[in-house]
Each structure stands twice: as C-alpha cells, then as structure tokens.
Amino acid sequence: MRSRFVAATLAALMLASAPAQADTSARDLQVMARAVGFVEGLPRGNVTVAVVDGPGADAIVAAMGAGVAGGGVTLVPRKVAVGALAGSGARVIIVPEGHGGSHAAIAAAARGLRAITLSTDMACVNSGNCVVGVAAEPRVEIVVSRAASAANGIAFGQAFRVMIREV
C-alpha cells in the first residue's frame, strides 16, 4: 500500500514539474509584429503571415483575428501546411510550438522564400531553424539566430539590434 502511495506521489510530482507547452499569447504576437516592423526590405501595412498548420495554429489564427498591428505592419494570418510553404510566397512565417519534427523543412522553405520565421519555441531559434524567438512573459525577450537570419537574407534595422540577444 505504501509503495503505491509513493509511486503515485512521485508520478504526480513528475507531471507537475514537466515543462508545459506554452501557448503563443496575444502579447507574443504583438512583439512579433513589432519585430517584423524592423526587417529591412519588407513592405509596410498589411502583411500576410503564414501560420504553419498543425499543433497550435488554430489558436494563433484565432488570437490574431483580422490582424495584429505593431511597428508599422499589420500581420494578417493564413494557415499554410508545411508542405505548401515553399510555394506560398510568404515573407513572414509563424512557427507554433509543437513543430519540432518539421523545423528543418520549415527552415528550408523559409530560406527559399527569403522569409523571416518567428516562434515562441526557442529550440527552433537555438537550432538555427527560426530567425526570431519571442518570449513576452515574464519580461520581453527577443532572440535572433545569426545563422538563420543570414541564410534567409534577413536584415534588421540598427535600432532593433540593441533590443535583442543574438545566438
């Protein structure tokens, strides 16, 4: 009896301490829009953003509604399957959490499109597969992959560089 209690307690503690998949918040999306506003060579105003279809995509599209404004751009969402990214013409791609197995394919499509990829999944940025990683809580943190930005031909304005951490 005691061993079952100990096993159940340990299992509960392990579940409680396991990292949860963070949802992309409205604040994260606002920071992403502002970051896109610092990309040199992208149009201003309404910019269609490809949200990679799959886990988390519906929630991001719903949170974005008709668009998220910031930095002189309004990001207007459109869900796009990983396999259709290369032909989408997208210059901005949001990679929801939960796409770890597709990071390399998403990065390859983004390189071909010369697109900026944004995510709250810092593993995507740290691996060089996403250009920008955003964490708005508990404080705003913007991480930029030098390798991914160079591979995708993404250049940021100088004012942006003082606000970020590069990896």
Side-chain angles (χ1 to χ4, degrees):
M1 178 72 157
R2 183 168 185 227
S3 63
R4 277 193 253 174
F5 173 76
V6 171
T9 302
L10 285 174
L13 286 172
M14 288 172 60
L15 287 174
S17 64
Q21 180 173 309
D23 291 329
T24 301
S25 70
R27 188 164 179 218
D28 292 326
L29 293 167
Q30 184 75 44
V31 172
M32 287 179 186
R34 289 183 179 157
V36 169
F38 284 101
V39 176
E40 295 176 352
L42 279 183
R44 299 294 173 236
N46 287 350
V47 176
T48 300
V49 57
V51 178
V52 179
D53 200 5
D58 289 335
I60 289 174
V61 170
M64 292 180 80
V68 175
V73 301
T74 300
L75 300 181
V76 180
R78 179 173 56 110
K79 284 195 308 187
V80 178
V82 172
L85 276 175
S88 70
R91 293 291 318 276
V92 180
I93 300 169
I94 294 178
V95 183
E97 299 249 356
H99 287 273
S102 300
H103 285 172
I106 294 166
R111 277 190 303 275
L113 293 166
R114 318 265 309 149
I116 181 172
T117 47
L118 304 113
S119 186
T120 56
D121 183 352
M122 291 300 176
C124 188
V125 180
N126 291 328
S127 66
N129 288 309
C130 285
V131 176
V132 175
V134 170
E137 297 293 335
R139 61 179 179 77
V140 173
E141 180 181 22
I142 303 169
V143 180
V144 174
S145 166
R146 285 186 196 120
S149 61
N152 295 16
I154 302 298
F156 295 98
Q158 189 60 35
F160 185 67
R161 296 216 170 269
V162 300
M163 299 185 282
I164 65 169
R165 179 173 58 89
E166 289 186 294
V167 293

